[in-house]
Amino acid sequence: DTGVSQDPRHKITKRGQNVTFRCDPISEHNRLYWYRQTLGQGPEFLTYFQNEAQLEKSRLLSDRFSAERPKGSFSTLEIQRTEQGDSAMYLCASSSTGAGNQPQHFGDGTRLSIL
Amino acid sequence: GENVEQHPSTLSVQEGDSAVIKCTYSDSASNYFPWYKQELGKRPQLIIDIRSNVGEKKDQRIAVTLNKTAKHFSLHITETQPEDSAVYFCAVQETSYDKVIFGPGTSLSVIP
């Protein structure tokens, strides 16, 4: 079990540029979640997938944000026309679909800095 | 929507003492309550969780208690060690496929 992996670990970009992050969940997990965490705060939910279906999106997810999970395995999160306020840690988590609530396991995150 | 509050925001204890962190939630339908530990620059790591049909759960020096009637749950760490220093987040989940709502976190410092 290699855990949840995210790439890149750090991304520095100029305002207005587009960025894309990748998340590879634990292999047998079919639920995948994206969260955003700013300094001193808990992770905030952005969106989640069950297999390839995107089942819920937060109001935090503006039209500039889009997420995909085309084959039900890895997922990508794209931010278009980045703004200063997008600077944050973007965390991915995955869980299985066993009976009852299953714990979510997090990746190390991608830290985005907007210049 | 669900609202999770967490107290205290910072906690400093002497090594060997106990630490208690308390959380409250608003949605009575919530039924799963994980706790995560996050060290600086690292991923949140699940340390213990409790389901609504259980009132208390213990794992070595860590225990969690749940009062569903009052809608609050607490994390107890006994015999604290310097490596327990981190930010701790309580969280709430309503159903097995729902998002997890996190509290604002408690920064715990264990003084040697």
Side-chain angles (χ1 to χ4, degrees):
Chain A
D1 178 7
T2 57
V4 178
S5 62
Q6 293 187 244
D7 184 70
R9 291 293 311 278
H10 305 275
K11 180 69 177 178
I12 302 173
T13 192
K14 293 181 180 180
R15 186 178 56 188
Q17 297 296 303
N18 299 341
V19 294
T20 300
F21 312 140
R22 175 178 171 127
C23 171
D24 287 88
I26 294 171
S27 59
E28 64 269 25
H29 286 181
N30 61 355
R31 292 194 184 124
L32 186 150
Y33 304 78
W34 285 100
Y35 293 85
R36 181 171 67 188
Q37 186 177 27
T38 53
L39 198 62
Q41 301 295 318
E44 294 177 295
F45 170 78
L46 294 178
T47 188
Y48 96 92
F49 295 83
Q50 179 154 315
N51 300 314
E52 65 276 9
Q54 188 173 17
L55 297 187
E56 187 174 352
K57 292 171 63 174
S58 166
R59 287 171 294 175
L60 293 175
L61 217 62
S62 75
D63 292 344
R64 297 184 297 105
F65 288 69
S66 62
E68 294 183 343
R69 195 183 183 196
K71 297 182 180 179
S73 56
F74 73 91
S75 175
T76 58
L77 177 68
E78 181 183 15
I79 309 174
Q80 296 182 325
R81 304 181 303 282
T82 52
E83 301 174 355
Q84 292 280 358
D86 296 333
S87 295
M89 175 73 84
Y90 290 84
L91 292 164
C92 176
S94 70
S95 71
S96 62
T97 53
N101 300 80
Q102 296 299 314
Q104 295 182 17
H105 299 272
F106 283 83
D108 286 327
T110 294
R111 181 168 296 284
L112 174 65
S113 298
I114 306 297
L115 301 177
Chain B
E2 177 67 270
N3 181 49
V4 181
E5 296 185 352
Q6 184 172 348
H7 300 280
S9 57
T10 59
L11 179 60
S12 186
V13 300
Q14 290 291 134
E15 182 177 359
D17 288 349
S18 296
V20 180
I21 302 170
K22 299 180 179 180
C23 287
T24 61
Y25 60 99
S26 58
D27 190 345
S28 57
S30 295
N31 59 11
Y32 176 64
F33 309 90
W35 284 88
Y36 286 85
K37 174 184 180 182
Q38 188 174 31
E39 296 176 59
L40 191 62
K42 296 191 175 181
R43 68 180 71 185
Q45 287 195 305
L46 180 73
I47 56 171
I48 195 167
D49 58 9
I50 191 167
R51 290 170 171 76
S52 61
N53 58 347
V54 175
E56 183 174 358
K57 183 177 179 180
K58 188 174 182 180
D59 183 3
Q60 300 183 339
R61 296 185 298 109
I62 295 173
V64 57
T65 58
L66 171 64
N67 184 328
K68 279 224 75 179
T69 303
K71 290 188 279 188
H72 66 72
F73 57 114
S74 300
L75 178 71
H76 304 253
I77 306 174
T78 59
E79 300 171 24
T80 53
Q81 301 168 1
E83 51 265 39
D84 293 331
S85 297
V87 179
Y88 290 81
F89 294 100
C90 63
V92 173
Q93 186 179 42
E94 183 174 330
T95 64
S96 62
Y97 51 80
D98 207 357
K99 58 187 176 289
V100 171
I101 305 298
F102 285 82
T106 295
S107 178
L108 173 64
S109 298
V110 179
I111 303 167

